[in-house]
Amino acid sequence: MKALKAIIIALCLLAAAAVLAPGQAAAQRRFPAPQFEAPYEMPETAWPAARAMSREVVDVAVLFVALGVAAYIALKARSRRAMFVLSVLALAYFGFYRRGCVCPIGAIQNVTAGLALPGYVVPVTVALFFALPLVFALLFGRVFCSGVCPLGAIQEVVLIKPVRVPQWLDRTLGVVPFLYLGAAVMFTVTDTLWIICRYDPFVAFFRLGGDFPMLIAGGVVLISSAFIGRPYCRWLCPYGVPLLGTVSRVSWRRTSITPDECVNCTLCHKACPYGAIEPKTPEGVHEA
Ligand code: SF4
């Protein structure tokens, strides 16, 4: 347990170290931007465009408040409906208004690049987006996934009639997020491709446009999400299970299912569309 707590602290320190890496700032001072005298306007190459610092601070504040509200709903109010409402609000803000960027999942690559690539500096807001859900997971469990992540929310709102996935298949596919995380780190370190952003299946929907193959891929994932509880979260997301899931195993507080009233009928275990509820343990703990 102590080792895992050390992992989360190390992850946060890595994010801070990535932010503080001085390479790019020094490079910018040594090579100031050229001055063009011709009336040529530089094209905007990044999309969505960089935002004013004040807006980014607002985004971090919204993330912080939303995580706090999600923790309150999960641990105190214990209201599924309230969590769903929060999810929809998060989808509207971080998904359609914020257009899916910045997000903690993609920030894995920023933090990796900040640590591995000379001259790359992680913006402070991106580092905070990466670290805050991990800190909350250490304190209260995966509250980011419960009610704040727009990718989780968009799968949640289209869920119509969930079918139960065989446990062997669920567990086998559950390895993929770890492989995907390893691939994302490797591609970033080698400065090849930021695969998490490039192959995000939902970003084309958030931006109401994108290349055709990704629209098709996103459509397939969304249609699957109508009948399978959160397939992207369970079998692809490199941030949820590998990082948040690992950290939440040693969280200070976490949700449990009315341990005093449970008669261990395992109905909730069988009915959960996400395969997330564990049967009661011999010690009497019943966790989601
Ligand atoms: S598993 Fe990933 S995509 Fe799903 S809610 Fe968590 S962070 Fe978001």
Side-chain angles (χ1 to χ4, degrees), residues 208-232:
L208 305 179
D211 58 31
F212 189 65
M214 286 317 298
L215 276 170
I216 295 290
V220 169
V221 177
L222 269 188
I223 291 169
S224 307
S225 304
F227 307 103
I228 300 171
R230 295 198 182 207
Y232 177 83

Side-chain angles (χ1 to χ4, degrees), residues 143-154:
V143 292
F144 176 74
C145 297
S146 308
V148 186
C149 177
L151 280 68
I154 197 169

Side-chain angles (χ1 to χ4, degrees), residues 136-205:
F136 271 76
L138 186 62
L139 294 172
F140 308 117
R142 283 173 64 180
V143 292
F144 176 74
C145 297
S146 308
V148 186
C149 177
L151 280 68
I154 197 169
Q155 296 167 85
E156 194 77 42
V157 296
V158 300
L159 183 62
I160 303 170
K161 188 172 175 49
V163 296
R164 190 165 171 78
V165 178
Q167 199 173 45
W168 66 266
L169 181 59
D170 194 21
R171 292 212 169 143
T172 304
L173 292 174
V175 175
V176 177
F178 293 88
L179 300 177
Y180 194 32
L181 175 62
V185 169
M186 190 189 73
F187 279 116
T188 306
V189 166
T190 55
D191 205 6
T192 313
L193 179 68
W194 287 31
I195 53 172
I196 298 174
C197 297
R198 178 67 188 83
Y199 298 113
D200 184 324
F202 302 116
V203 81
F205 293 101

